[in-house]
Amino acid sequence: MIEKYERFINKLFLFLGSSVFILIILMTFVQVITRYLINISFPWAEEFLRFCYTYMILFGILTTFQIQVPLLRIIIFERFRYGWLLSSILYLIMIFCLLVLIKGGIKLYLMNLNSYYSAFKVSISLVYIPFILCLSLEIIRIIIAFISLTKTKKVREL
C-alpha cells in the first residue's frame, strides 16, 4: 500500500514541481527581457518568484525518500531480533516530531495572516502552506509504513 502511495506522491509532486520550475524560468526570462530591453520592471515579480521557489523546493522534497543511515538500519533493525519494534518506536517518535513542526507552522501561518507583501498584496502566511502540507503528507507516509511494519514485522525503507 505504501508503494502505491509513494508512486502517487512522486508523480503528482514531480509534475507540480516541474510545472513551477518552468514557470520560474519563464517569469525570470520575461523579467530580464523587460528590464534590460524595454526598461520596464514588474515590482511583483520578485515576490511571485519567491512563492514559486518555496513551492518548487517543497514539491521536490516530497518526491524523495527520507535520509537514512543504511549501516545503522542493517546492523540494528535487520539483524536484531526485535528490529521491527525499534523501528516502530522510531516511527512514533517521527510522527510526534512532525506534529510539533506542524503546530509551529500553523502558528507562523496565523501570526502572518494579516501581513502582506508590498507589491504582490498577498498574505505572507501563504509561504507556510506548503510547509504544513509537506509535513502532513509525510505523516501519512509514516503511518502507512507503520501499519505495514506491524503487519509484516519486516523493516523496510521509508
Side-chain angles (χ1 to χ4, degrees):
M1 183 173 174
I2 192 167
E3 291 86 14
K4 188 176 181 181
Y5 175 75
E6 285 176 353
R7 279 194 307 270
F8 169 74
I9 288 295
N10 285 338
K11 287 181 182 178
L12 175 67
F13 289 108
L14 184 63
F15 171 76
L16 291 173
S18 300
S19 300
V20 172
F21 182 65
I22 290 170
L23 188 62
I24 288 170
I25 291 171
L26 291 174
M27 190 63 211
T28 304
F29 179 74
V30 168
Q31 184 72 353
V32 168
I33 295 297
T34 57
R35 182 177 293 159
Y36 293 110
L37 293 181
I38 307 172
N39 205 17
I40 297 172
S41 180
F42 301 115
W44 52 268
E46 182 184 341
E47 293 169 1
F48 177 75
L49 288 172
R50 185 177 303 143
F51 278 110
C52 288
Y53 280 123
T54 303
Y55 280 89
M56 182 187 68
I57 290 167
L58 288 174
F59 290 146
I61 288 171
L62 281 174
T63 62
T64 60
F65 291 102
Q66 292 178 342
I67 298 172
Q68 299 183 16
V69 181
L71 183 63
L72 180 69
R73 189 175 149 265
I74 291 168
I75 291 174
I76 295 177
F77 299 131
E78 291 180 356
R79 293 190 182 171
F80 186 60
R81 184 174 179 180
Y82 296 104
W84 64 271
L85 185 61
L86 289 173
S87 202
S88 298
I89 292 168
L90 286 177
Y91 283 168
L92 293 174
I93 291 170
M94 288 167 55
I95 290 171
F96 174 75
C97 292
L98 289 172
L99 286 172
V100 170
L101 286 172
I102 288 174
K103 181 181 175 190
I106 292 171
K107 186 176 180 181
L108 285 171
Y109 173 81
L110 294 174
M111 279 177 28
N112 292 304
L113 203 55
N114 294 323
S115 302
Y116 297 94
Y117 285 108
S118 59
F120 210 43
K121 303 297 183 206
V122 288
S123 178
I124 294 173
S125 62
L126 291 178
V127 173
Y128 298 104
I129 291 174
F131 177 75
I132 296 166
L133 175 70
C134 179
L135 294 177
S136 301
L137 291 171
E138 191 60 32
I139 285 178
I140 292 170
R141 185 188 318 221
I142 293 170
I143 289 172
I144 291 172
F146 179 73
I147 292 169
S148 174
L149 178 68
T150 55
K151 286 182 180 178
T152 63
K153 306 278 193 268
K154 183 179 178 189
V155 179
R156 60 179 296 277
E157 290 185 21
L158 180 59

